[in-house]
Amino acid sequence: MKKTALNLGKHVAKIGDPQSREFLEEAIDSLDHGQRRAAVVLSWVGAVALIQDYVVANHLVDFNAEATKRNLKWKAAITADDISSRMDEYDFLQICAAISVLSKSVKNRLEQALKLRNGAGHPNRLAVGEFEAAAHVESLVKNVFEKFA
């Protein structure tokens, strides 16, 4: 896994947001040390934070309009924290696809990543393999960190 972690580590310098960069660094370090569940969770948290920040900076009006269409009680978000505290991540992905922040294929891949993150982030008997964790992190690097950083 050290070679995989080293290859993924090359992407860290491209991440401008310090918080997201730190999540990715910790995810890669977790992979390097065999902490696969931690790598899955940390990489997901950093990725979704990047998308939320991107939406706030570039698509907030469209995002709030779509959120309101789906939930009449939606209180317009102003910050990424508003989004993360008021909406679950699955719904967030659906809205991002609806307003063309995410393509259908990327949204589908992120839904899979979210399912793995949910399994890895809660006490259960889910076993996360070394290659599965590395593929999860790599997919987030390619589809989120490189695109939204």
Side-chain angles (χ1 to χ4, degrees), residues 51-52 55 63 66 70 91-103 107:
I51 301 169
Q52 289 170 344
V55 165
F63 179 86
E66 184 65 27
R70 293 167 183 253
D91 291 337
F92 176 71
L93 295 176
Q94 305 316 304
I95 292 172
C96 285
I99 63 171
S100 300
V101 169
L102 300 173
S103 69
K107 176 196 64 97

Side-chain angles (χ1 to χ4, degrees), residues 17-148:
D17 175 63
Q19 180 182 2
S20 296
R21 184 174 52 247
E22 187 174 342
F23 277 117
L24 183 57
E25 285 172 337
E26 289 183 24
I28 293 168
D29 191 46
S30 295
L31 272 179
D32 193 33
H33 289 89
Q35 300 164 336
R36 297 179 296 271
R37 290 170 74 117
V40 167
V41 171
L42 289 167
S43 59
W44 174 261
V45 171
V48 79
L50 266 176
I51 301 169
Q52 289 170 344
D53 288 342
Y54 178 84
V55 165
V56 168
N58 300 287
H59 298 279
L60 192 56
V61 171
D62 292 338
F63 179 86
N64 281 321
E66 184 65 27
T68 301
K69 281 194 324 193
R70 293 167 183 253
N71 177 0
L72 295 176
K73 294 181 181 181
W74 174 254
K75 182 180 174 196
I78 298 169
T79 67
D81 286 344
D82 292 342
I83 295 171
S84 66
S85 66
R86 297 181 198 159
M87 178 177 289
D88 69 37
E89 292 167 341
Y90 178 84
D91 291 337
F92 176 71
L93 295 176
Q94 305 316 304
I95 292 172
C96 285
I99 63 171
S100 300
V101 169
L102 300 173
S103 69
K104 183 179 178 182
S105 296
V106 170
K107 176 196 64 97
N108 290 342
R109 181 60 186 97
L110 293 179
E111 286 174 358
Q112 292 172 341
L114 176 58
K115 286 178 183 177
L116 180 58
R117 177 265 173 248
N118 288 341
H122 298 285
N124 58 51
R125 295 175 192 240
L126 177 69
V128 178
E130 149 180 11
F131 295 109
E132 180 180 23
H136 171 87
V137 174
E138 181 180 32
S139 178
L140 292 175
V141 165
K142 294 290 187 187
N143 291 295
V144 177
F145 285 96
E146 288 184 350
K147 180 177 180 184
F148 294 100

